[in-house]
mmCIF file of all heavy atoms in Angstrom:
data_model
loop_
_atom_site.group_PDB
_atom_site.id
_atom_site.type_symbol
_atom_site.label_atom_id
_atom_site.label_comp_id
_atom_site.label_asym_id
_atom_site.label_seq_id
_atom_site.Cartn_x
_atom_site.Cartn_y
_atom_site.Cartn_z
ATOM 1 N N TYR A 83 120.145 98.798 109.859
ATOM 2 C CA TYR A 83 120.527 98.024 108.670
ATOM 3 C C TYR A 83 121.504 98.817 107.801
ATOM 4 O O TYR A 83 122.216 98.255 106.995
ATOM 5 C CB TYR A 83 119.256 97.668 107.868
ATOM 6 C CG TYR A 83 118.416 98.918 107.747
ATOM 7 C CD1 TYR A 83 118.609 99.814 106.718
ATOM 8 C CD2 TYR A 83 117.536 99.257 108.767
ATOM 9 C CE1 TYR A 83 117.938 101.020 106.688
ATOM 10 C CE2 TYR A 83 116.863 100.469 108.744
ATOM 11 C CZ TYR A 83 117.067 101.337 107.708
ATOM 12 O OH TYR A 83 116.426 102.539 107.701
ATOM 13 N N ARG A 84 121.496 100.160 107.920
ATOM 14 C CA ARG A 84 122.417 100.984 107.117
ATOM 15 C C ARG A 84 123.606 101.326 108.020
ATOM 16 O O ARG A 84 123.763 102.437 108.494
ATOM 17 C CB ARG A 84 121.693 102.261 106.644
ATOM 18 C CG ARG A 84 122.342 102.921 105.422
ATOM 19 C CD ARG A 84 121.606 104.187 104.990
ATOM 20 N NE ARG A 84 120.208 103.985 104.650
ATOM 21 C CZ ARG A 84 119.772 103.371 103.561
ATOM 22 N NH1 ARG A 84 120.626 102.912 102.677
ATOM 23 N NH2 ARG A 84 118.477 103.216 103.336
ATOM 24 N N GLY A 132 117.569 95.703 112.482
ATOM 25 C CA GLY A 132 116.862 95.785 111.205
ATOM 26 C C GLY A 132 115.460 96.329 111.350
ATOM 27 O O GLY A 132 114.814 96.677 110.360
ATOM 28 N N ILE A 133 114.987 96.382 112.577
ATOM 29 C CA ILE A 133 113.643 96.899 112.819
ATOM 30 C C ILE A 133 113.749 98.405 113.050
ATOM 31 O O ILE A 133 114.462 98.847 113.957
ATOM 32 C CB ILE A 133 112.998 96.216 114.054
ATOM 33 C CG1 ILE A 133 113.064 94.686 113.955
ATOM 34 C CG2 ILE A 133 111.574 96.700 114.269
ATOM 35 C CD1 ILE A 133 112.351 94.085 112.773
ATOM 36 N N VAL A 134 113.069 99.169 112.224
ATOM 37 C CA VAL A 134 113.153 100.629 112.322
ATOM 38 C C VAL A 134 112.755 101.078 113.729
ATOM 39 O O VAL A 134 111.757 100.616 114.283
ATOM 40 C CB VAL A 134 112.251 101.295 111.254
ATOM 41 C CG1 VAL A 134 112.033 102.767 111.564
ATOM 42 C CG2 VAL A 134 112.864 101.123 109.868
ATOM 43 N N PHE A 161 119.539 106.806 113.980
ATOM 44 C CA PHE A 161 118.345 106.329 113.269
ATOM 45 C C PHE A 161 118.026 107.323 112.166
ATOM 46 O O PHE A 161 118.659 108.379 112.069
ATOM 47 C CB PHE A 161 117.163 106.168 114.241
ATOM 48 C CG PHE A 161 116.905 107.388 115.090
ATOM 49 C CD1 PHE A 161 116.025 108.359 114.660
ATOM 50 C CD2 PHE A 161 117.573 107.568 116.298
ATOM 51 C CE1 PHE A 161 115.806 109.499 115.431
ATOM 52 C CE2 PHE A 161 117.357 108.712 117.074
ATOM 53 C CZ PHE A 161 116.470 109.676 116.635
ATOM 54 N N GLY A 162 117.044 106.997 111.345
ATOM 55 C CA GLY A 162 116.747 107.825 110.178
ATOM 56 C C GLY A 162 115.532 108.708 110.380
ATOM 57 O O GLY A 162 114.826 108.616 111.387
ATOM 58 N N ASP A 163 115.270 109.540 109.389
ATOM 59 C CA ASP A 163 114.104 110.426 109.445
ATOM 60 C C ASP A 163 112.807 109.614 109.511
ATOM 61 O O ASP A 163 111.845 110.024 110.151
ATOM 62 C CB ASP A 163 114.073 111.343 108.213
ATOM 63 C CG ASP A 163 114.309 110.590 106.916
ATOM 64 O OD1 ASP A 163 115.486 110.369 106.567
ATOM 65 O OD2 ASP A 163 113.328 110.183 106.271
ATOM 66 N N GLY A 164 112.803 108.463 108.837
ATOM 67 C CA GLY A 164 111.573 107.659 108.832
ATOM 68 C C GLY A 164 111.222 107.118 110.203
ATOM 69 O O GLY A 164 110.046 106.928 110.530
ATOM 70 N N ALA A 165 112.241 106.905 111.024
ATOM 71 C CA ALA A 165 112.041 106.271 112.329
ATOM 72 C C ALA A 165 111.273 107.152 113.309
ATOM 73 O O ALA A 165 110.704 106.656 114.280
ATOM 74 C CB ALA A 165 113.393 105.883 112.923
ATOM 75 N N ASN A 168 107.723 106.268 114.365
ATOM 76 C CA ASN A 168 107.428 105.012 115.035
ATOM 77 C C ASN A 168 107.282 105.201 116.538
ATOM 78 O O ASN A 168 108.044 105.938 117.168
ATOM 79 C CB ASN A 168 108.538 104.007 114.725
ATOM 80 C CG ASN A 168 108.086 102.602 115.013
ATOM 81 O OD1 ASN A 168 108.133 102.161 116.152
ATOM 82 N ND2 ASN A 168 107.597 101.910 114.011
ATOM 83 N N GLU A 190 119.585 110.933 111.285
ATOM 84 C CA GLU A 190 120.141 111.245 109.968
ATOM 85 C C GLU A 190 118.973 111.537 109.032
ATOM 86 O O GLU A 190 118.302 110.619 108.566
ATOM 87 C CB GLU A 190 120.911 110.047 109.404
ATOM 88 C CG GLU A 190 122.054 109.579 110.279
ATOM 89 C CD GLU A 190 122.928 108.558 109.554
ATOM 90 O OE1 GLU A 190 122.901 108.501 108.311
ATOM 91 O OE2 GLU A 190 123.629 107.811 110.245
ATOM 92 N N ASN A 192 118.159 112.064 105.815
ATOM 93 C CA ASN A 192 118.765 111.957 104.483
ATOM 94 C C ASN A 192 117.758 112.148 103.364
ATOM 95 O O ASN A 192 117.985 111.784 102.221
ATOM 96 C CB ASN A 192 119.499 110.617 104.339
ATOM 97 C CG ASN A 192 118.560 109.432 104.521
ATOM 98 O OD1 ASN A 192 117.340 109.591 104.595
ATOM 99 N ND2 ASN A 192 119.121 108.238 104.591
ATOM 100 N N TYR A 194 114.965 110.742 102.670
ATOM 101 C CA TYR A 194 114.097 109.637 102.275
ATOM 102 C C TYR A 194 113.971 108.574 103.352
ATOM 103 O O TYR A 194 114.933 108.270 104.063
ATOM 104 C CB TYR A 194 114.626 108.937 101.006
ATOM 105 C CG TYR A 194 114.373 109.737 99.754
ATOM 106 C CD1 TYR A 194 115.336 110.606 99.265
ATOM 107 C CD2 TYR A 194 113.150 109.657 99.095
ATOM 108 C CE1 TYR A 194 115.095 111.374 98.137
ATOM 109 C CE2 TYR A 194 112.899 110.414 97.965
ATOM 110 C CZ TYR A 194 113.878 111.275 97.488
ATOM 111 O OH TYR A 194 113.627 112.029 96.383
ATOM 112 N N ALA A 195 112.789 108.026 103.441
ATOM 113 C CA ALA A 195 112.574 106.770 104.143
ATOM 114 C C ALA A 195 112.092 105.821 103.054
ATOM 115 O O ALA A 195 110.995 106.003 102.516
ATOM 116 C CB ALA A 195 111.517 106.920 105.229
ATOM 117 N N GLU A 196 112.933 104.883 102.683
ATOM 118 C CA GLU A 196 112.672 104.052 101.502
ATOM 119 C C GLU A 196 112.342 104.951 100.319
ATOM 120 O O GLU A 196 113.141 105.803 99.952
ATOM 121 C CB GLU A 196 111.552 103.041 101.781
ATOM 122 C CG GLU A 196 112.028 101.927 102.696
ATOM 123 C CD GLU A 196 111.027 100.799 102.845
ATOM 124 O OE1 GLU A 196 109.852 100.974 102.520
ATOM 125 O OE2 GLU A 196 111.451 99.718 103.304
ATOM 126 N N ARG A 257 120.527 110.975 100.716
ATOM 127 C CA ARG A 257 120.791 109.559 100.483
ATOM 128 C C ARG A 257 121.048 109.338 98.996
ATOM 129 O O ARG A 257 120.124 109.213 98.214
ATOM 130 C CB ARG A 257 119.584 108.716 100.951
ATOM 131 C CG ARG A 257 119.910 107.241 101.182
ATOM 132 C CD ARG A 257 118.645 106.400 101.273
ATOM 133 N NE ARG A 257 118.023 106.303 99.963
ATOM 134 C CZ ARG A 257 116.740 106.029 99.763
ATOM 135 N NH1 ARG A 257 115.935 105.835 100.779
ATOM 136 N NH2 ARG A 257 116.256 105.946 98.537
ATOM 137 N N GLN A 261 117.356 102.861 98.593
ATOM 138 C CA GLN A 261 117.075 102.277 99.903
ATOM 139 C C GLN A 261 117.995 101.083 100.127
ATOM 140 O O GLN A 261 118.561 100.907 101.182
ATOM 141 C CB GLN A 261 115.598 101.878 99.982
ATOM 142 C CG GLN A 261 115.247 100.814 101.008
ATOM 143 C CD GLN A 261 115.484 101.276 102.432
ATOM 144 O OE1 GLN A 261 115.677 102.460 102.691
ATOM 145 N NE2 GLN A 261 115.493 100.342 103.366
ATOM 146 N N GLU B 44 103.508 100.790 103.932
ATOM 147 C CA GLU B 44 104.694 101.606 103.658
ATOM 148 C C GLU B 44 105.169 101.393 102.221
ATOM 149 O O GLU B 44 105.455 100.272 101.825
ATOM 150 C CB GLU B 44 105.807 101.233 104.649
ATOM 151 C CG GLU B 44 105.466 101.669 106.061
ATOM 152 C CD GLU B 44 106.004 100.722 107.122
ATOM 153 O OE1 GLU B 44 106.946 99.966 106.847
ATOM 154 O OE2 GLU B 44 105.455 100.741 108.245
ATOM 155 N N ASP B 45 105.191 102.466 101.479
ATOM 156 C CA ASP B 45 105.668 102.416 100.091
ATOM 157 C C ASP B 45 104.926 101.388 99.241
ATOM 158 O O ASP B 45 105.498 100.807 98.322
ATOM 159 C CB ASP B 45 107.187 102.181 100.049
ATOM 160 C CG ASP B 45 107.936 103.327 100.710
ATOM 161 O OD1 ASP B 45 107.871 104.450 100.197
ATOM 162 O OD2 ASP B 45 108.550 103.103 101.765
ATOM 163 N N ILE B 86 106.230 104.994 108.868
ATOM 164 C CA ILE B 86 106.638 103.734 109.502
ATOM 165 C C ILE B 86 105.973 103.677 110.875
ATOM 166 O O ILE B 86 106.602 103.842 111.908
ATOM 167 C CB ILE B 86 108.171 103.631 109.589
ATOM 168 C CG1 ILE B 86 108.776 103.928 108.209
ATOM 169 C CG2 ILE B 86 108.598 102.230 110.065
ATOM 170 C CD1 ILE B 86 110.266 104.133 108.230
ATOM 171 N N GLU B 88 103.358 101.234 112.097
ATOM 172 C CA GLU B 88 102.502 100.061 111.941
ATOM 173 C C GLU B 88 101.387 100.017 112.976
ATOM 174 O O GLU B 88 100.244 99.700 112.646
ATOM 175 C CB GLU B 88 103.342 98.777 112.019
ATOM 176 C CG GLU B 88 104.209 98.502 110.791
ATOM 177 C CD GLU B 88 105.588 99.151 110.872
ATOM 178 O OE1 GLU B 88 105.843 99.898 111.830
ATOM 179 O OE2 GLU B 88 106.405 98.907 109.962
ATOM 180 N N MET B 110 105.188 94.815 105.867
ATOM 181 C CA MET B 110 106.221 94.609 104.845
ATOM 182 C C MET B 110 106.949 93.273 104.977
ATOM 183 O O MET B 110 107.170 92.581 103.986
ATOM 184 C CB MET B 110 107.217 95.759 104.917
ATOM 185 C CG MET B 110 108.142 95.832 103.739
ATOM 186 S SD MET B 110 109.242 97.241 103.881
ATOM 187 C CE MET B 110 108.127 98.591 103.576
ATOM 188 N N PHE B 114 108.173 92.153 111.306
ATOM 189 C CA PHE B 114 107.815 93.411 111.971
ATOM 190 C C PHE B 114 106.524 93.251 112.775
ATOM 191 O O PHE B 114 105.989 94.221 113.299
ATOM 192 C CB PHE B 114 107.655 94.561 110.968
ATOM 193 C CG PHE B 114 108.793 94.730 109.991
ATOM 194 C CD1 PHE B 114 108.624 95.421 108.802
ATOM 195 C CD2 PHE B 114 110.053 94.186 110.257
ATOM 196 C CE1 PHE B 114 109.669 95.571 107.897
ATOM 197 C CE2 PHE B 114 111.103 94.334 109.361
ATOM 198 C CZ PHE B 114 110.903 95.026 108.173
ATOM 199 N N VAL B 117 105.963 95.048 116.268
ATOM 200 C CA VAL B 117 105.639 96.447 116.534
ATOM 201 C C VAL B 117 104.145 96.736 116.382
ATOM 202 O O VAL B 117 103.699 97.838 116.686
ATOM 203 C CB VAL B 117 106.461 97.432 115.655
ATOM 204 C CG1 VAL B 117 107.946 97.291 115.940
ATOM 205 C CG2 VAL B 117 106.173 97.232 114.184
ATOM 206 N N HIS B 157 114.416 89.440 108.854
ATOM 207 C CA HIS B 157 113.626 89.579 107.624
ATOM 208 C C HIS B 157 113.364 88.219 106.968
ATOM 209 O O HIS B 157 113.211 88.131 105.760
ATOM 210 C CB HIS B 157 114.349 90.474 106.610
ATOM 211 C CG HIS B 157 114.432 91.922 106.992
ATOM 212 N ND1 HIS B 157 115.301 92.389 107.940
ATOM 213 C CD2 HIS B 157 113.742 93.004 106.566
ATOM 214 C CE1 HIS B 157 115.151 93.708 108.067
ATOM 215 N NE2 HIS B 157 114.205 94.094 107.239
HETATM 216 C C1 TPP C 426 109.241 98.451 112.056
HETATM 217 C C2 TPP C 426 109.737 98.449 110.659
HETATM 218 N N1 TPP C 426 108.900 98.817 109.681
HETATM 219 C C3 TPP C 426 109.324 98.854 108.393
HETATM 220 C C4 TPP C 426 110.601 98.503 108.076
HETATM 221 C C5 TPP C 426 111.074 98.513 106.630
HETATM 222 N N2 TPP C 426 112.007 99.623 106.419
HETATM 223 C C6 TPP C 426 113.332 99.402 106.444
HETATM 224 S S1 TPP C 426 114.180 100.809 106.236
HETATM 225 C C7 TPP C 426 112.806 101.722 106.128
HETATM 226 C C8 TPP C 426 112.923 103.187 105.923
HETATM 227 C C9 TPP C 426 113.666 103.855 107.018
HETATM 228 O O1 TPP C 426 113.947 105.150 106.697
HETATM 229 P P1 TPP C 426 114.838 106.063 107.601
HETATM 230 O O2 TPP C 426 114.442 105.884 109.025
HETATM 231 O O3 TPP C 426 114.746 107.437 107.055
HETATM 232 O O4 TPP C 426 116.307 105.492 107.462
HETATM 233 P P2 TPP C 426 117.259 105.446 106.181
HETATM 234 O O5 TPP C 426 116.975 104.154 105.499
HETATM 235 O O6 TPP C 426 116.977 106.636 105.352
HETATM 236 O O7 TPP C 426 118.648 105.437 106.730
HETATM 237 C C10 TPP C 426 111.675 100.919 106.234
HETATM 238 C C11 TPP C 426 110.292 101.404 106.147
HETATM 239 C C12 TPP C 426 111.438 98.084 109.128
HETATM 240 N N3 TPP C 426 112.692 97.688 108.891
HETATM 241 N N4 TPP C 426 110.993 98.077 110.397
#
Side-chain angles (χ1 to χ4, degrees):
Chain A
Y83 47 87
R84 201 180 301 288
I133 308 299
V134 165
F161 51 91
D163 47 276
N168 198 277
E190 301 190 21
N192 60 9
Y194 285 93
E196 287 188 343
R257 199 195 71 202
Q261 158 65 13
Chain B
E44 291 147 21
D45 297 295
I86 310 168
E88 287 88 355
M110 193 178 288
F114 310 160
V117 298
H157 291 76

